[in-house]
Amino acid sequence: MNETKINVLNVMFNSVTKENILNILTKRIAENKKTFLVTANPEIVMHANSDQGYMENIQKADYVIADGIGIIIGSKIIGQPLPERIPGFELMQELLKKGSESNWSAYFLGAKQEVVEKAVETIRKQYPNLQIAGYHDGFFDWDSNMIQDEIKKSKPDLIFVALGLPRQENFIAKNLAKFDKGLFIGVGGSFDVIAGTVKRAPVIWQKLNLEWLYRLIKQPSRWRRMLVLPLFLIRMLKIKLKG
C-alpha cells in the first residue's frame, strides 16, 4: 500500500487510486477489520477547518480519499498532487458489486424512509447476492442506541451512512467504538441517486469534472454551498504563495 499522505488544509489525504483503495478495503473486510473511510471534497475540508469537533472526527478516519475535483486541483497547487479523484458514489457502486460477488452483507442508514426503501429495493435487484443486513431512515434520536444496537447485532460488512455533512462523519466517529467489524463510509446523497429521486450528471459532465456545475444548474439553491470551492482554492493559493 502507498502510505503517502498529503496535507490539504490540515486534512490528511491518502495518496491512492480507486483501484488501490478498493484492494485495501477488500482485504480489510476479508480480515474483519473495522474501517472508517471519509470521501472528502472541498466542502468537507472547509467545514473541518471551521469546526474543531468535526476536524477531530475526520482525523479518526482510517482513510481519507479525494472526492471532488477541487481537492485534486488544490493538491496540485501546493505541488503535492493526489493521483486521481475517487467519487464516493462510484466507490459505493464498486463495493456493492464486490459485495454481491463475495456474499458480503450491507446496512443502509439515512435519507427519507421512502428513499432508503426504494434504494434498498433497487440494490436487491442490481446486486442479488449482497445480503441486506438492514436499513433505517435518517430521522432518529441520536441519544437512543436502537440504531447502533441493530447494526452491531446484524454484523454487516458494509455500513453506508447517508446523513449528509457533518452528521454522517460525526455519527460514525461517535459510535465506531461500539462495533466489532465493518467498513463505515459516509455517502451523502447517494441513496437519492440509487432510488432515482435525484439524477447524477451525464457521463460527459463526469469526465469533464463538471458534476458540481451540473448539480448547480439542476439545483440553483445550492449556490451558497458552491461558494466553498473558490474560497477553498484561494486558501490553497495563499499556502503556495507562503511557500
Side-chain angles (χ1 to χ4, degrees):
M1 172 192 168
N2 185 348
E3 292 285 355
T4 302
K5 291 191 176 184
I6 306 299
N7 186 333
V8 179
L9 288 186
N10 306 311
V11 175
M12 303 303 295
F13 281 80
N14 293 85
S15 183
V16 291
T17 63
K18 184 165 72 172
E19 183 179 1
N20 290 155
I21 196 64
L22 277 169
N23 288 337
I24 292 165
L25 297 176
T26 298
K27 186 172 186 292
R28 289 180 69 90
I29 291 169
E31 296 172 353
N32 287 325
K33 288 184 178 178
K34 185 167 55 178
T35 308
F36 175 17
L37 178 123
V38 174
T39 63
N41 57 18
E43 192 175 359
I44 282 180
V45 171
M46 292 293 277
H47 190 88
N49 277 272
S50 64
D51 181 339
Q52 183 58 33
Y54 185 63
M55 177 67 84
E56 290 171 1
N57 285 338
I58 293 293
Q59 291 170 344
K60 292 176 184 177
D62 298 287
Y63 302 95
V64 179
I65 60 173
D67 177 4
I69 189 60
I71 299 296
I72 302 300
I73 294 171
S75 68
K76 289 179 179 179
I77 287 173
I78 59 173
Q80 299 182 69
L82 287 160
E84 67 180 18
R85 177 188 170 217
I86 308 173
F89 182 75
E90 292 180 12
L91 183 62
M92 180 180 179
Q93 287 182 306
E94 294 285 354
L95 288 167
L96 290 170
K97 179 182 176 184
K98 182 65 178 176
S100 186
E101 294 169 352
S102 306
N103 291 111
W104 292 346
S105 60
Y107 191 98
F108 304 86
L109 176 62
K112 295 178 181 178
Q113 179 69 22
E114 60 270 23
V115 171
V116 68
E117 285 180 352
K118 179 63 176 176
V120 169
E121 179 186 336
T122 301
I123 287 165
R124 284 188 201 273
K125 293 175 182 176
Q126 292 182 350
Y127 308 97
N129 294 321
L130 179 77
Q131 307 302 310
I132 304 298
Y135 62 89
H136 197 284
D137 62 61
F139 302 90
F140 57 90
D141 182 359
W142 276 50
D143 295 324
S144 167
N145 290 323
M146 181 187 69
I147 305 296
Q148 297 91 316
D149 290 346
E150 184 178 323
I151 295 172
K152 184 174 182 179
K153 185 178 180 180
S154 61
K155 297 182 179 180
D157 299 296
L158 303 168
I159 303 90
F160 298 105
V161 184
L163 299 175
L165 180 167
R167 295 179 70 231
Q168 57 194 25
E169 287 79 26
N170 286 343
F171 176 84
I172 295 170
K174 177 184 176 183
N175 294 288
L176 196 62
K178 300 174 183 175
F179 307 113
D180 302 317
K181 57 171 283 189
L183 166 61
F184 293 78
I185 173 173
V187 294
S190 294
F191 293 0
D192 293 273
V193 177
I194 293 171
T197 55
V198 172
K199 288 187 177 181
R200 196 180 179 201
V203 174
I204 185 63
W205 292 71
Q206 296 174 35
K207 289 183 176 180
L208 293 171
N209 292 309
L210 291 173
E211 280 190 88
W212 62 272
L213 180 57
Y214 180 85
R215 288 197 299 269
L216 180 58
I217 292 169
K218 291 293 183 180
Q219 296 175 281
S221 60
R222 293 174 60 95
W223 72 270
R224 288 184 186 277
R225 292 176 60 183
M226 293 301 180
L227 287 176
V228 169
L229 182 55
L231 293 174
F232 166 78
L233 294 175
I234 289 168
R235 289 279 296 273
M236 298 306 292
L237 286 166
K238 286 181 177 178
I239 290 173
K240 180 181 181 180
L241 291 173
K242 287 180 180 177

